[in-house]
Amino acid sequence: MRKTLDVGDARIGYADDGEGEVVLMLHGSFSADWFTPAGRRLVAGGHRVLNVRRAGYGGSLDLGGGASVAAHAGHAVRVLEAAGVGRAHLVGHSSGAAVALQLAATRPDLAASLVLLDAAFPYTPDEPAHPAMPRALDAAEQGDYQAGFDLFLGGVSGPGFREVFVRELGEDGLREAVAGSRYFFTVEGPALRAWSFGPEEAAAVTAPVLLAVGGESERLGTAYRARGAQLASWLPDSELRLLPGLSHALPLEDPAVVATTVAEFAALHRG
């Protein structure tokens, strides 16, 4: 069931479906539908899924002109409150993983567990530089957001990422993701880079954390495995797991694996 919530600095859309243990899903950048296919599988498997459409994406409005990571986390808290949920399993992909971490650090009472897929932040001091990233940012600075989209996602997901979007979300889903690139490059990207999260903040996360990284990360030269390892060294109750054959587009490449990973970890840590 689609719902809308006014939270002052944003108007947040979210889906509330199913019954059972509650899973709150926080998607990555560009598209609000990264988790839609996996969410359907979790509902079918006996979970209640709150699939948040973060401010700036999928019709959710960023009324403040630049939502910070803390603001996104605050919006998610408001969704939990509106849904009458006191504790949930948090799932975040890419930039959505930062939001999940912020929520768990500031409101540990709300987090039963966390599954973070290819966490995009924070950066590590010795991570590999990816040649596609400066080119994507340069294209966006010139106003060519479609080129920025292709360079960014092609660099972290490989050349077939557009076909993956169309297969799972249709042509309209791909068009929406391309349209979301403007918000990412002009608003969300700078807010994410300004986010501060280190060992002190990580120590406040009391819930168990699964850091899942696409196994194609190293072949593609991305830094997600290094960032996951850094987070694992900071978080008091965490494990790092590789998902073979998957890239940064893993929620759409194999939503069944994502749903199973989330369901199994949630079953170990029932709220």
Side-chain angles (χ1 to χ4, degrees):
M1 181 185 300
R2 287 285 180 90
K3 300 183 178 182
T4 303
L5 183 65
D6 288 319
V7 295
D9 63 340
R11 184 170 298 127
I12 302 298
Y14 65 99
D16 183 352
D17 297 299
E19 297 179 354
E21 288 274 307
V22 180
V23 176
L24 177 79
M25 310 195 87
L26 297 160
H27 62 81
S29 301
F30 299 107
S31 172
D33 287 309
W34 281 107
F35 279 135
T36 297
R40 292 194 194 105
R41 288 166 170 80
L42 285 165
V43 169
H47 294 82
R48 181 182 177 189
V49 175
L50 299 173
N51 199 346
V52 178
R53 303 175 82 78
R54 296 195 293 108
Y57 295 106
S60 289
L61 302 180
D62 178 357
L63 301 175
S68 65
V69 173
H72 284 296
H75 302 159
V77 170
R78 293 288 298 276
V79 169
L80 289 171
E81 291 172 346
V85 174
R87 197 164 170 83
H89 302 282
L90 310 182
V91 182
H93 168 233
S94 190
S95 56
V99 178
L101 280 169
Q102 180 72 29
L103 195 164
T106 55
R107 289 294 306 273
D109 58 303
L110 297 178
S113 71
L114 288 83
V115 175
L116 307 181
L117 304 161
D118 260 14
F121 298 91
Y123 297 136
T124 67
D126 56 352
E127 67 182 39
H130 198 294
M133 297 306 103
R135 295 170 58 210
L137 293 172
D138 286 345
E141 287 177 0
Q142 298 301 315
D144 191 346
Y145 298 110
Q146 178 161 297
F149 173 82
D150 286 332
L151 287 163
F152 189 102
L153 280 176
V156 299
S157 304
F161 76 93
R162 279 179 168 258
E163 288 78 6
V164 169
F165 267 87
V166 172
R167 184 189 71 214
E168 294 297 330
L169 303 178
E171 293 285 353
D172 287 345
L174 176 60
R175 278 192 289 271
E176 183 177 307
V178 173
S181 63
R182 177 186 291 270
Y183 182 79
F184 170 71
F185 284 116
T186 62
V187 179
E188 184 168 64
L192 286 163
R193 290 190 290 273
W195 181 55
S196 178
F197 190 89
E200 182 177 348
E201 290 79 10
V205 178
T206 57
V209 182
L210 175 63
L211 295 147
V213 179
E216 292 291 278
S217 177
E218 289 186 349
R219 185 183 70 81
L220 292 168
T222 62
Y224 301 113
R225 188 169 183 177
R227 294 173 192 171
Q230 175 176 258
L231 284 168
S233 73
W234 291 347
L235 293 161
D237 184 2
S238 64
E239 63 176 284
L240 184 67
R241 182 185 304 174
L242 288 184
L243 299 180
L246 300 181
S247 75
H248 194 59
L250 68 168
L252 296 179
E253 286 175 331
D254 201 332
V257 163
V258 169
T260 298
T261 300
V262 171
E264 290 179 348
F265 197 69
L268 293 174
H269 308 285
R270 293 190 180 276

